[in-house]
Amino acid sequence: MRIFRSLLLGLAAIATGSALAQDTSEVPKEKHDYQSDVARLRKIVINSLYSNRDVFLRELISNANDALEKLRLTALKEPEVLTGAEELNITIQAFKDDDGHGRIVIRDTGIGMTPEELTKNLGTLAKSGTSEFLARAESTDTTGTGNLIGAFGLGFYSSFLVADRVYVSSLAAKSSQTPEPAQYIFSSSADESSFETYPDPRGNTLGRGTEITLILRDDALEYFDTHKIADLVNKHSSFSSQFPIYLFTQRTEHVPDEETVEESPAEETLEKEVDEDEAVVEDVDEAEETEIKEPKMKEVVVDEWIHLNSQPPIWVRDPKTVTDEEYELFYQATFKDYEKPLAWHHFSGDTGSGTSFRAIIYIPSKLDDAYWTNPLATSSKDLRLMVKRTFITSDLGEDALPKWANWVKVVVDAEDLPLNVSREQLQSTKFLKQIRQILLKHILQMLTRIMEEDSEKFEEVQKVYGNVFKLGAVEDKRNRDKMVALVRFHTNQRNSTSLDEYLANKKKGQNQIFYLADMGKTPEFLANSVFIEKLDARGYEVLLLGDPLDEIFVQNMRVWKKVQFQDVAKAGLKFGDEADPEEEKQELEVLTEKFRPLLDWLKGQAEEVVRDVVISNRLVTSSCAVVADMFGYTANIERMMSSAPANQGSKSPMHEFAKKQKLLEINPKSPLIQGLLRRVEQLPAEDEEPDVEAENELKEVASVLIDGALVRSGFSVQDSNEFFIRTDRILRRSLGVSETAPTDTTVKPAPPVDPEIKAEDDFSFLDDIPGGDQPGVYIPESLRDQVSWEVEEIDEEGNPVHPRDEL
Ligand SMILES: *[C@@H]1O[C@H](CO)[C@@H](O)[C@H](O)[C@H]1NC(C)=O
Ligand SMILES: *[C@@H]1O[C@H](CO)[C@@H](O)[C@H](O)[C@H]1NC(C)=O
Ligand SMILES: *[C@@H]1O[C@H](CO)[C@@H](O)[C@H](O)[C@H]1NC(C)=O
C-alpha cells in the first residue's frame, strides 16, 4: 500500500490487444438455461448484497486461490499439469474499452475448467446446498449473506453486483484426463436467465487457468480505479492467497528526451561546471538554463505489475510485529468467517520428534450452528496444515481433535515434513499425534490465561463455550481438572461460580455440593424452587443448573475434590451441621410419631405416585414436595429419559421402577399439614361407623395436594383431566357454588363434510426447514455410553445392584 500511494495513478488505460473482443458473432455459441435454483440464488445474492458490492473482488480472488491450490496439489502427483504456465499467480487489470466501458480482468494460472466444467460449475448447483443457503440467507442480514456466499460456492455470482456482463474464459490444465484442453468462454449478463458457451476466438491464449472479464455497470465505475482495487485487495484479500496477486498499473514519468539530449551537450556542460567557481557557474547557468528548460524532458507511460500481497505470511513473522488488525484480517480471509475472532495465540515449537512448527490458534466468536445438533457436521475442518508455507490439507481426520476442542481454527506450518506427504501417510507418523497434544495444551493454556487475566473476555468466552467446557470435563479425562476449572455455574447466591469457588464458600460441616437441575429453566426460576427453600433460607449455596448438559456433567463427576454432588431434589440431603445426630434422629422420630396417622393415611392416598411419605427437612414455607428417592429419577432425569430417542415408548421394568422411587415429603410446620393431620385424626376409626362424606372430601383435598406437589416439584401429574375436575369441585366448594349444578353444554355442531382438497396445499416447503426432524433433546453421540444414569441395574427384588453412592 505504501508503494502505491507514491505512484501517480489515474484510470489505467492500456491497449486491448489481448483482451476479449466483444464481437464474436462468427463462432458457434451454445445456449444453456441456468438451473432454476441458480437463477433464484443469483437474484438473492444480487439483491441482498447490493449495498455491500465490494465483496465481489474478495470472492473472485478467493476462487482464484482455490483453483491455484487445486493445481498445486494435483501437480504433486501429475507434474505435467504445470505445463503452459509455470508461475502460479493471480493478476488483476482494469482498463477502458474502445467504446468507453470499464473492464476488470482477473486471471489465475490455476487448474482451469474444461468446457463441461464451465457449464456445470457456473450454471448448476449442488442441490443439497440450496435450501440450506436459502434458509440461512433469509434469517440473516446482508453481512450474514455476504459471509455465506463464499461458504456455499456462490461467490462467482457476486460478479453481477458490479458487472452488466461477465465473460469467463478458461483453459484446463493438461493432464492424462484432458490431454488436449481447449479454451472456452462462458458468457452471461446480469438479467438473463441463460448463458452461452463457445470456443474462445483468441485460441488457447491463457497458457492455463481462468480469466474473468467484468464489463462494469455504469453505476459501478468507482471500481475502475487501481487505487480502489489495491485498497480492497489489501483490506480483504491480502491474506486470502498464498500465491502472488499482481495489479497492473501505469504511471507517467518525466524522462529526458534522448533525442534532444544527444543534440545538445548542455547537461554535460552543466555537470562539469558545478564544481567550479560560483561566478563561473552563474555564468554558465544563465547561458544554459533556457536550453535545459526546453523540451529535453518527455512524458512516458511506464507499465508495472505491482505485487499486492508481498508480506511474508503472518504465522512466520515475529508475533511482536503483527498487529491485532492483521491477525483479524488473516483469520477472516483464511477461515471465511467475517466476524472477529474472540482471541488468538501465536507460537512456535518442536514436536519432540524433531519437527519444528509455527502455529496460530483462533477462538471464533461463535460456535457453528450444527455443533450441538449434528454430530456429523462437527469434525474439525479448520485445522489447516502447511508444510514450509505450502498448504497441504485441512482435513486431518475425524479425531484430529476431541469434540470439545474441534471448533478451534488453527494454522500449523511444519518445517521438516516432505511436501508431497499425504494425509494417510501423515496419520501413520508421530507428527499428528504430537501436534494434537501440543495444540490441546495450548488451547487450555490460552483459555486459562483468559480466565485469569481478562474477566471481561472470559465472560464472552463463557457465553459461547460454557457448555463446551462441561462437555470437555466429561469427555477428556486426561484434561479433566483443567476443564473443570473453566466451568462456571449460576447459584442462588452468585451469577457465576467455579467449583473451587463453591468449595471455598462451603459452610462448616457441609460435605456435599448442593445442586438443583431442571433443564430449560432459568436460574431465576430455579432459585424459587421448593427444593432449595431451606438451603437458601439458611445461607447455603446451591448450583442452579438449567442445561441438559449440566445433569450429564454432575452425573459423570459425582465428586469434586472429595466432596459429593447432592441433588437437592433427592433423598440424602445433609446440611452437615446437625449438632447431635442422635438428638436430631430422636426429634424426627417424635415428629414422625406425632404425624403417624397423617403419614399412613397419605401413603394410602398416594401409593400410585410415591413409594413413601416422610417428614421433610428441606421445606420452610411450602407444605409438601415430591423428591426422588436415592435410586429414583428426579423430574429432570425423568424428562431427559423419556425424551431420549432410545426410550421413547419403551416401558422397561427398570425405567418403571426408577420412576416409582419417589417420596412425598411433608412440612410439619405448615399449618395446612397440621390442619390435615387434625382432620385425619377426627375420621372414625376402622371399627366405627364410616363418615363417607367427610372421607371423600379429605381424599379430594389430599389428591389435589399431591398433584400440586408433583407439579411444583417439576413432575407431571398422572391424570391431568382428573386433576382439573377435582380442582373445579374444590373451587366450587370454596365459593359456595353447588357442586352438582350442571354447566350448559349446548354447542354449535361442525358444518357438514367437505371432501374437496385444495390443490395448492403444498407442503413441500417443509423440506426446506433445516433440522425440522431433530428430536428435542440431543445428547452427543460421544457421550451416550458415558452417561451413567441411563440404566440402573436392579435385582429381582428391585434393589439396585450397584448403588450409585458406592464411590
Ligand atoms: C503470472 O504467471 C504467468 C505464467 O505462469 C506469467 O506469464 C506472468 O508473467 C505472471 N505474471 C506476473 C505479473 O508476474
Ligand atoms: C516425495 O518426494 C520425495 C523426494 O522428492 C521422494 O523421494 C518420495 O518418494 C516422494 N513420496 C511420495 C509418496 O511421492
Ligand atoms: C446476575 O444476573 C442478573 C440477571 O441477569 C442481574 O440482574 C444481576 O445484576 C446479576 N448479579 C450479579 C451479582 O452480577
Side-chain angles (χ1 to χ4, degrees), residues 85-89 91 109 246 305:
E86 291 291 325
E87 198 193 317
L88 306 189
N89 63 23
T91 57
T109 55
Y246 297 105
W305 286 101

Side-chain angles (χ1 to χ4, degrees), residues 349-358 387 413-417 429-431 434-435 438:
D350 196 295
T351 57
S353 60
T355 306
S356 60
F357 68 89
R358 288 161 183 275
V387 172
D413 186 359
E415 275 304 313
D416 319 308
L417 291 177
T429 64
K430 274 198 217 121
F431 176 75
Q434 289 167 333
I435 203 80
I438 291 169

Side-chain angles (χ1 to χ4, degrees), residues 72-302:
R72 215 207 22 243
L73 288 177
T74 314
L76 292 178
K77 289 190 197 111
E78 275 192 86
E80 71 266 28
V81 295
L82 288 172
T83 52
E86 291 291 325
E87 198 193 317
L88 306 189
N89 63 23
I90 298 170
T91 57
I92 307 172
Q93 275 176 285
F95 52 82
K96 244 197 179 85
D97 284 343
D98 296 339
D99 61 1
H101 277 105
R103 284 183 178 216
I104 294 178
V105 179
I106 298 166
R107 193 182 293 175
D108 68 68
T109 55
I111 191 91
M113 287 176 272
T114 62
E116 296 72 40
E117 285 168 335
L118 263 184
T119 307
K120 186 167 150 270
N121 294 358
L122 305 183
T124 62
L125 199 82
K127 172 78 181 154
S128 59
T130 317
S131 52
E132 196 188 343
F133 175 79
L134 285 174
R136 289 179 54 183
E138 272 151 17
S139 68
T140 43
D141 54 16
T142 50
T143 50
T145 319
N147 301 342
L148 285 177
I149 59 171
F152 282 86
L154 298 173
F156 168 71
Y157 302 114
S158 62
S159 328
F160 293 104
L161 291 169
V162 297
D164 282 326
R165 176 160 285 279
V166 176
Y167 298 98
V168 180
S169 178
S170 197
L171 178 61
K174 195 177 166 80
S175 72
S176 49
Q177 278 162 14
T178 37
E180 307 261 326
Q183 189 167 318
Y184 260 67
I185 289 180
F186 160 104
S187 152
S188 173
S189 80
D191 40 22
E192 283 166 3
S193 61
S194 63
F195 59 89
E196 290 171 337
T197 59
Y198 50 91
D200 192 328
R202 296 170 302 178
N204 287 4
T205 54
L206 290 175
R208 183 194 57 242
T210 299
E211 174 194 84
I212 298 180
T213 303
L214 309 174
I215 310 296
L216 291 179
R217 299 158 60 116
D218 288 339
D219 65 358
L221 287 177
E222 57 186 294
Y223 295 102
F224 184 62
D225 174 353
T226 42
H227 282 133
K228 172 94 180 174
I229 295 176
D231 280 350
L232 283 181
V233 174
N234 280 317
K235 203 158 141 216
H236 299 298
S237 302
S238 52
F239 298 114
S240 36
S241 177
Q242 318 149 41
F243 304 97
I245 303 173
Y246 297 105
L247 176 64
F248 182 81
T249 63
Q250 290 184 314
R251 66 199 154 99
T252 312
E253 265 185 8
H254 294 263
V255 295
D257 189 329
E258 304 277 308
E259 282 170 28
T260 30
V261 171
E262 264 166 38
E263 271 169 25
S264 145
E267 248 176 295
E268 248 185 327
T269 321
L270 180 65
E271 285 198 359
K272 236 191 275 167
E273 302 289 336
V274 163
D275 286 343
E276 293 180 14
D277 274 353
E278 244 181 69
V280 183
V281 174
E282 254 170 44
D283 274 358
V284 177
D285 265 3
E286 278 194 6
E288 301 288 334
E289 219 164 62
T290 42
E291 263 181 90
I292 293 171
K293 266 189 187 165
E294 283 311 292
K296 293 200 176 97
M297 300 298 276
K298 65 170 181 183
E299 288 191 352
V300 292
V301 177
V302 179

